[in-house]
């Protein structure tokens, strides 16, 4: 949903880690279940020797894909090129502001042609952990339904705030129906203020590292660093 609704669809964020791999754009770095201190670098600031997407197996068909997503790697704001009334306009927004926000793009009157960092469309910064289930994907990919069962998605975000509400329907006090989207508290990073966040992802946390069958994966991921272009855990 973020790709459609963020900034009113003017520009999408980068695809998920799984999509990039499926499209053949990147190859993940895979590790086994041992003790590691991991560094992950945001895509646009990475060198050839940096790890951008990490693959952590849970079992023969499930694994985590972990990446560092940053809205503004260059720390220079969002630089857009758009066409309006026959004119090509270059404009920089140093921060989210009135008329240039996820749900308000009144400052843009025309057709967006390019943006320097597509991940500005994300709701926050930090480590994103995707739970991938190849059994679900293989069963449902041909029908484009790998995520239609919200209780068992093929590509699922492990939401760091402990509340799996992306895609859930809610009714406001005014009777309006809204769909849950990602927030800045769904990213893993030191300083996340979500009440359920423990800076740890394990069998006894919320969310937990169990497989979709409920089995203990024996995986613990902890000590996420502060938000930065290169993050560790």
């Amino acid at each position: 949903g973020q790709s459609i609704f963020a900034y009113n669809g003017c520009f999408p964020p980068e695809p998920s880690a799984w999509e990039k791999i499926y499209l053949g754009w990147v190859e993940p770095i895979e590790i086994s279940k041992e003790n590691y201190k991991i560094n992950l670098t945001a895509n646009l600031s990475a060198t050839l020797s940096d790890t951008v997407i990490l693959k952590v197996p849970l079992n023969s068909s499930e694994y985590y894909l972990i990446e560092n997503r940053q809205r503004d790697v260059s720390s220079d704001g969002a630089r857009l090129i758009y066409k309006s009334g026959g004119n090509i306009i270059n404009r920089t927004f140093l921060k989210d502001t009135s008329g240039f926000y996820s749900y308000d793009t009144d400052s843009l009157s025309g057709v967006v042609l390019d943006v320097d960092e597509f991940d500005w469309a994300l709701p926050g910064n930090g480590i994103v952990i995707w739970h991938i289930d190849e059994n679900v994907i293989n069963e449902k990919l041909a029908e484009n339904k790998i995520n239609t069962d919200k209780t068992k998605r093929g590509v699922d975000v492990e939401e760091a705030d402990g509340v799996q509400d992306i895609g859930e329907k809610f009714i406001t006090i005014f009777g309006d129906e809204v769909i849950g989207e990602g927030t800045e508290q769904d990213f893993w990073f030191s300083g996340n203020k979500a009440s359920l966040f423990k800076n740890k992802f394990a069998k006894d946390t919320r969310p937990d590292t169990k497989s979709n069958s409920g089995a203990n994966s024996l995986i613990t991921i902890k000590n996420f660093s502060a938000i930065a272009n290169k993050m560790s855990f």
Side-chain angles (χ1 to χ4, degrees), residues 106-127:
D106 287 348
S107 294
L108 304 177
S109 56
V111 178
V112 175
L113 304 178
D114 200 6
V115 59
D116 67 328
E117 295 190 44
F118 287 91
D119 270 356
W120 188 280
L122 291 174
N125 305 277
I127 299 295

Side-chain angles (χ1 to χ4, degrees), residues 103-225:
Y103 49 79
D104 177 12
T105 53
D106 287 348
S107 294
L108 304 177
S109 56
V111 178
V112 175
L113 304 178
D114 200 6
V115 59
D116 67 328
E117 295 190 44
F118 287 91
D119 270 356
W120 188 280
L122 291 174
N125 305 277
I127 299 295
V128 180
I129 301 177
W130 305 88
H131 185 164
I132 310 301
D133 190 327
E134 291 285 0
N135 285 338
V136 175
I137 292 171
N138 293 336
E139 178 185 345
K140 297 185 174 182
L141 182 61
E143 296 180 276
N144 195 27
K145 293 183 177 181
I146 66 174
N147 273 8
T148 55
D149 181 356
K150 64 184 179 183
T151 65
K152 195 175 181 181
R153 294 184 171 117
V155 180
D156 188 39
V157 178
E158 297 286 2
E159 300 170 52
D161 65 357
V163 182
Q164 295 288 118
D165 55 2
I166 292 177
E168 292 285 351
K169 294 181 180 180
F170 301 94
I171 304 298
T172 70
I173 58 174
F174 304 107
D176 298 323
E177 183 180 274
V178 296
I179 305 297
E181 295 187 42
T183 71
E184 61 183 352
Q185 294 183 340
D186 291 325
F187 295 80
W188 299 82
F189 59 92
S190 175
N192 188 325
K193 297 186 183 303
S195 60
L196 295 174
F197 183 77
K198 307 297 183 187
N199 205 2
K200 181 180 178 181
F201 182 40
K203 66 178 182 180
D204 55 354
T205 59
R206 182 172 171 183
D208 61 55
T209 56
K210 296 176 183 176
S211 71
N212 279 339
S213 67
N216 183 3
S217 68
L218 307 179
I219 293 171
T220 296
I221 306 173
K222 60 185 179 179
N223 298 329
F224 295 90
S225 63

